Amino acid sequence: MYLCRRQFPEVRTPELLAKLVDVVSSSGGSNRNANTIATVAGSSSRLAVASSSVPVYEPAIQPVASPSFAVDLSGNVGDEVRYGEHHLTELRCPTPAGVGEGLFDDPDDDDVEPDMIADDSGDDLGASHPRRATGGSSSGTQQYPPHFSSLDLDAMRHDKNPGQPAGFGARDTEGSAGMTEFQVGQQFQDKDEALLSVKTYSIRRGVQYKVVESNYRRYVGKCSEFGNGCTWLIRLSLRQRKGIWEVKRYNGPHTCLATSISSDHRSLDYHVIATFIMPIIRADASVNIKVLLNATAAHFGFRPTYRRVWMAKQKAVAIIYGDWDESYNELPRWVLGVQLTMPGTVAVLRTCPVRVGGQLDESQANFHRLFWTFPPCIEAFHHCKPLVSIDGTHLYGKYEGTLLVTIAQDGNSNILPVAFALVESENAESWSFFLSHLRQHVTPQPGLLVISDRHNGIKAALEAPDGGWLPPAAYRAFCIGHVAANFALTFKGKDARRLLVNAAYAKTEVEFDYWFDILRSENLAMCDWANRIEYSLWTQYCDEGRRFGHMTTNISECVNSILKGVRNLPVCSLVKATYARLAELFVRKGREAEAQLGTRQQFSQYLVKCIEANLKTARCFTVTVYDRDNSEYTVAETTPTGSFSLGSYRVSLASQTCDCGYFQALHFPCPHALACCAYSRLTWQPYVHQVYCLSSIFDVYQIGITPPIPEDFWPPYDGPTVIPNPNMRRAREGRPRSTRIRTNMDDADPNRPKRCGLCRQPGHTRRSCPQAGRPTHTGGNK
């Protein structure tokens, strides 16, 4: 008492409350000794003792405890193992005013405990869905996903309470430093929090326990070795008047030892893992499963299965961004809300009827497809290059699907998504659905170029008579990266692939023939393979300047990498993310264009860099004029400027052409044209395409995204409940199948030797592994 008085001089009248508790023998009675008055690390507690700060010394002799693993992501599992130490434990307790409620049970609580519990039921059957964290509803208009550009592993240690260990979900750990056991009277917010603390305790101790009883008002667990030398038992009950869970009885700590060594723990289920990885998922929803698995193993000291971590990630995503199934039904109302926010928004939702027992259920409808775009995207495309790149990317969530994206590019090489669609997969019907609405609402301009891969679904949609994508209304071009990848499947060797790519990038027929002749000398069959594809689809010199130098779908691939984070989210959060990302994109790029216009610049930074490089090259040329109007020239290169050179080039400023092909392919002056302008003292600015002007770039981002209207003001949706298609549900068992199909486009180290999948040694495969047929010796002498 005097010690407390000196430590807390502001307390004028300290009070001491003592309660006499009968100590029953270790055969199973209520053993409430001093060494059990502690809390599990990271669990919430409200102590039922009424002193200010009473030092409690642990007994000199303690039961042998299993090691607890330190939390260190930068190290290896087991680098630091601490056993039970004898140290001073300090308990900070609440004020005496609330002591009565903490000590005495509710009238409806049953305080009668049997000496022994004979039930031997198995694992935890009471694992229920945890309460949703703050921001868990995916319907809130202001709760947009964060940017997923980097993984911050430090986020897992960040919480509102600096002293709280990450991942335990505790409410209050003040004064619990150094505590390792539960305490009678310890309270939890709900059952999920209580179960998490019990499971975490079991994992930290490295012991197993069984669930004897689990229902809506009681939870009883005992050690798996109960009756064989260990008396560990815990009972938690619901205090109905307060709505909290409390430890009513506790026999601890464990006095048993592990009987076997295992790399996994039964209590380390996906509920516990989901709570631990929650801060990581909140910072980066695209984090790899292997990263989460390694982080979990380093934190708990046990290595769960890949499937369990995958399920934990899906649960964490659902808690943060909304339920996977409910997200589909939120789409129709979000569409109504965004159309009210920005009139002119195009959103086309397609559903399929639901049949139950052969009868049509009109109250529900299966989600089928969704196309959407926003008015700023539609207006922006009028000022972009007259080409689009289309591609599809897989969804990584609980349900399968494909996100189709259309990408445009402004005159400063900035990519801009202009239309999206969620479909079941890449097939002719889904691509026809996407491209028809794209043509109708976003890209009605004539002479448009579409760059894509050689997917048969895209081919069927573009070649449809009523689709509006046939020449001269629109033209198609292949991505040379995909063409070269298909080429490499038949003809091995990077040299041949490089020759094909060089021929495709050639800007003139002469240069194309140069590279094609080299390819023909290597293997005539390679030329026959390339000749099966129409030249206008994969070569630059035959595209009549429609490509603007774009030979691949890399602009789509860049967007796929940016949207990789949202592909892990429920569908409604995914759609919201496109809205939020575009809002930030329009603001950022619009400010850049406005700032450049304020400095009286005329052209984009990309064009200025290209012109500066061309001017340096143009100093080595000799120019001869051939007409009095100063429009026809010949330019002789005194020093070759590239691997392929004609030596002399004809330049026509009137028709904006040059024999090098650079002028007509990229739509701004090549080095030869710049040399002609300098010779005739002409300015080169009139020969630049309008798309490269800063005024056009500013017009791209002139119309911004409107802030969303609060959800309470959205129009009501009274249609059928939209549910996910059950056929799109991923496999419930086994490791989830990877949706990434690796091809020759995935560059790998050619010098890396292939290793056996069994013994991991080079020089052979799993089938011919010498270790495969050897018997396994479990004991005995040979």
Side-chain angles (χ1 to χ4, degrees):
M1 292 287 290
Y2 292 104
L3 177 63
C4 297
R5 184 68 178 86
R6 288 195 299 269
Q7 291 182 349
F8 301 91
E10 67 274 9
V11 180
R12 296 180 178 273
T13 308
E15 298 180 2
L16 174 66
L17 174 66
K19 181 180 180 181
L20 182 62
V21 180
D22 294 334
V23 179
V24 187
S25 63
S26 60
S27 60
S30 299
N31 182 12
R32 302 181 182 181
N33 207 340
N35 63 337
T36 65
I37 304 181
T39 58
V40 60
S43 64
S44 61
S45 61
R46 282 192 249 172
L47 307 182
V49 185
S51 66
S52 299
S53 178
V54 183
V56 179
Y57 288 88
E58 296 186 357
I61 302 177
Q62 292 187 359
V64 179
S66 302
S68 61
F69 294 89
V71 182
D72 185 10
L73 283 180
S74 61
N76 296 325
V77 178
D79 285 347
E80 183 178 359
V81 180
R82 295 195 181 99
Y83 290 86
E85 299 175 352
H86 313 303
H87 54 274
L88 179 65
T89 303
E90 187 177 4
L91 301 180
R92 292 185 176 87
C93 307
T95 57
V99 170
E101 294 181 354
L103 288 177
F104 301 102
D105 300 334
D106 292 337
D108 54 350
D109 280 345
D110 183 13
D111 283 335
V112 180
E113 289 281 359
D115 290 341
M116 295 290 292
I117 299 180
D119 191 2
D120 251 71
S121 58
D123 281 334
D124 184 0
L125 301 178
S128 58
H129 298 287
R131 56 190 175 92
R132 211 174 260 189
T134 303
S137 175
S138 65
S139 60
T141 57
Q142 307 297 336
Q143 299 165 1
Y144 293 110
H147 291 278
F148 308 103
S149 57
S150 62
L151 171 62
D152 184 12
L153 288 179
D154 293 334
M156 62 190 300
R157 296 189 177 94
H158 176 71
D159 205 347
K160 294 181 180 179
N161 300 325
Q164 177 178 342
F168 286 76
R171 290 186 296 107
D172 180 37
T173 57
E174 184 178 357
S176 62
M179 299 182 181
T180 58
E181 296 294 328
F182 288 98
Q183 173 189 352
V184 174
Q186 183 177 345
Q187 297 177 350
F188 302 91
Q189 185 69 29
D190 53 22
K191 183 178 180 181
D192 296 315
E193 185 179 347
L195 295 188
L196 178 64
S197 296
V198 175
K199 292 178 181 179
T200 304
Y201 169 87
S202 177
I203 296 169
R204 288 295 184 193
R205 287 289 188 178
V207 295
Q208 304 285 355
Y209 78 98
K210 294 182 179 180
V211 179
V212 178
E213 183 179 1
S214 177
N215 52 45
Y216 71 97
R217 56 171 297 180
R218 184 178 300 176
Y219 183 85
V220 181
K222 65 179 181 179
C223 178
S224 298
E225 299 296 324
F226 192 88
N228 295 330
C230 184
T231 60
W232 187 89
L233 181 145
I234 188 170
R235 177 197 174 202
L236 300 105
S237 298
L238 172 66
R239 297 187 61 129
Q240 295 183 356
R241 189 171 63 185
K242 295 183 178 181
I244 60 177
W245 283 71
E246 184 178 271
V247 178
K248 290 295 184 180
R249 177 185 173 188
Y250 182 67
N251 293 348
H254 283 271
T255 58
C256 58
L257 294 175
T259 59
S260 61
I261 299 177
S262 175
S263 61
D264 197 2
H265 197 285
R266 184 171 57 186
S267 297
L268 188 59
D269 54 18
Y270 74 95
H271 302 287
V272 176
I273 301 174
T275 305
F276 166 69
I277 66 176
M278 194 82 66
I280 306 178
I281 301 300
R282 197 183 301 275
D284 183 5
S286 65
V287 59
N288 192 279
I289 298 295
K290 291 184 179 180
V291 174
L292 299 176
L293 195 153
N294 293 332
T296 304
H299 183 79
F300 291 103
F302 295 95
R303 192 171 187 84
T305 62
Y306 184 99
R307 176 73 184 186
R308 196 183 308 167
V309 179
W310 185 86
M311 294 173 60
K313 180 180 179 181
Q314 306 311 309
K315 179 176 181 178
V317 170
I319 294 175
I320 299 173
Y321 298 103
D323 184 76
W324 291 94
D325 295 348
E326 295 176 359
S327 182
Y328 286 90
N329 192 41
E330 294 172 3
L331 280 176
R333 191 156 184 260
W334 184 87
V335 168
L336 296 176
V338 76
Q339 288 178 341
L340 180 63
T341 300
M342 285 192 301
T345 298
V346 179
V348 182
L349 176 62
R350 293 283 186 267
T351 58
C352 295
V354 177
R355 296 187 179 274
V356 180
Q359 299 294 328
L360 184 63
D361 186 1
E362 297 182 354
S363 63
Q364 292 182 335
N366 285 328
F367 174 84
H368 189 44
R369 297 178 183 132
L370 174 67
F371 172 89
W372 74 97
T373 185
F374 308 108
C377 299
I378 300 174
E379 179 61 28
F381 185 72
H382 291 85
H383 310 283
C384 292
K385 297 176 182 177
L387 59 89
V388 292
S389 176
I390 58 175
D391 200 3
T393 179
H394 295 282
L395 302 184
Y396 293 156
K398 181 178 179 180
Y399 291 93
E400 296 178 349
T402 302
L403 174 65
L404 305 182
V405 188
T406 300
I407 307 300
Q409 191 181 57
D410 64 13
N412 201 25
S413 297
N414 297 317
I415 58 176
L416 175 66
V418 295
F420 309 88
L422 282 173
V423 296
E424 68 281 6
S425 62
E426 291 191 67
N427 52 54
E429 291 78 12
S430 61
W431 275 114
S432 179
F433 166 80
F434 179 56
L435 292 175
S436 62
H437 289 290
L438 176 68
R439 190 63 169 166
Q440 177 182 355
H441 302 291
V442 185
T443 61
Q445 298 88 341
L448 187 69
L449 181 69
V450 181
I451 305 176
S452 68
D453 56 25
R454 301 174 63 195
H455 196 281
N456 291 330
I458 300 177
K459 177 182 178 181
L462 293 178
E463 294 179 355
D466 55 348
W469 294 101
L470 294 176
Y475 299 88
R476 187 188 182 192
F478 289 154
C479 168
I480 187 57
H482 290 84
V483 173
N486 295 333
F487 177 81
L489 294 176
T490 306
F491 305 101
K492 305 300 180 182
K494 287 196 172 182
D495 290 338
R497 180 178 177 178
R498 178 180 57 84
L499 293 174
L500 181 71
V501 172
N502 288 342
Y505 272 87
K507 297 179 176 63
T508 62
E509 185 177 3
V510 177
E511 185 180 358
F512 174 82
D513 293 336
Y514 170 80
W515 293 110
F516 214 65
D517 289 340
I518 300 177
L519 189 67
R520 184 180 292 107
S521 63
E522 293 286 336
N523 189 347
L524 185 60
M526 297 179 182
C527 295
D528 295 337
W529 186 94
N531 287 330
R532 297 191 192 103
I533 309 175
E534 187 177 348
Y535 282 3
S536 61
L537 296 176
W538 66 280
T539 62
Q540 188 169 199
Y541 88 94
C542 289
D543 71 344
E544 300 180 4
R546 300 187 185 95
R547 283 182 178 263
F548 278 75
H550 293 283
M551 295 299 296
T552 66
T553 56
N554 284 347
I555 55 177
S556 295
E557 299 296 338
C558 292
V559 171
N560 288 343
S561 63
I562 296 172
L563 294 178
K564 186 176 182 180
V566 304
R567 290 184 290 164
N568 297 269
L569 304 182
V571 292
C572 193
S573 294
L574 185 153
V575 177
K576 289 179 181 179
T578 61
Y579 188 93
R581 299 278 177 89
L582 286 172
E584 182 178 356
L585 178 65
F586 273 79
V587 171
R588 181 183 302 177
K589 296 302 178 182
R591 285 177 178 174
E592 293 178 2
E594 186 177 13
Q596 294 171 18
L597 280 175
T599 58
R600 300 184 181 276
Q601 299 182 34
Q602 185 177 356
F603 298 104
S604 66
Q605 294 178 339
Y606 166 78
L607 180 75
V608 171
K609 292 180 180 179
C610 293
I611 294 296
E612 290 177 352
N614 291 344
L615 284 173
K616 293 180 181 179
T617 307
R619 299 170 183 172
C620 305
F621 298 156
T622 301
V623 180
T624 304
V625 62
Y626 271 80
D627 70 330
R628 60 185 179 184
D629 296 328
N630 292 327
S631 62
E632 302 291 336
Y633 303 83
T634 60
V635 179
E637 292 184 351
T638 56
T639 302
T641 58
S643 58
F644 177 83
S645 176
L646 293 176
S648 180
Y649 299 85
R650 296 173 299 171
V651 178
S652 174
L653 295 180
S655 59
Q656 299 185 12
T657 60
C658 179
D659 284 347
C660 70
Y662 191 106
F663 201 172
Q664 53 268 37
L666 302 182
H667 302 279
F668 59 81
C670 62
H672 310 102
L674 290 176
C676 297
C677 291
Y679 179 84
S680 300
R681 290 177 171 80
L682 298 174
T683 179
W684 52 265
Q685 284 82 356
Y687 305 106
V688 176
H689 196 282
Q690 180 64 26
V691 74
Y692 296 107
C693 296
L694 268 180
S695 58
S696 298
I697 299 173
F698 179 76
D699 290 339
V700 172
Y701 308 101
Q702 187 174 8
I703 302 178
I705 303 292
T706 306
I709 294 177
E711 182 180 352
D712 295 338
F713 298 96
W714 288 358
Y717 169 70
D718 55 357
T721 302
V722 180
I723 61 176
N725 191 335
N727 297 327
M728 303 301 295
R729 175 72 182 270
R730 294 190 186 274
R732 298 175 182 268
E733 298 180 358
R735 175 168 174 163
R737 183 176 62 87
S738 175
T739 55
R740 178 70 172 98
I741 302 175
R742 300 189 65 85
T743 65
N744 298 80
M745 295 181 63
D746 300 302
D747 293 331
D749 185 5
N751 299 323
R752 181 179 179 182
K754 293 184 178 180
R755 298 181 179 271
C756 172
L758 186 63
C759 67
R760 305 304 300 167
Q761 296 299 319
H764 61 273
T765 62
R766 180 188 292 267
R767 293 184 178 180
S768 58
C769 181
Q771 304 293 333
R774 294 186 179 182
T776 303
H777 299 280
T778 58
N781 298 326
K782 296 182 72 174

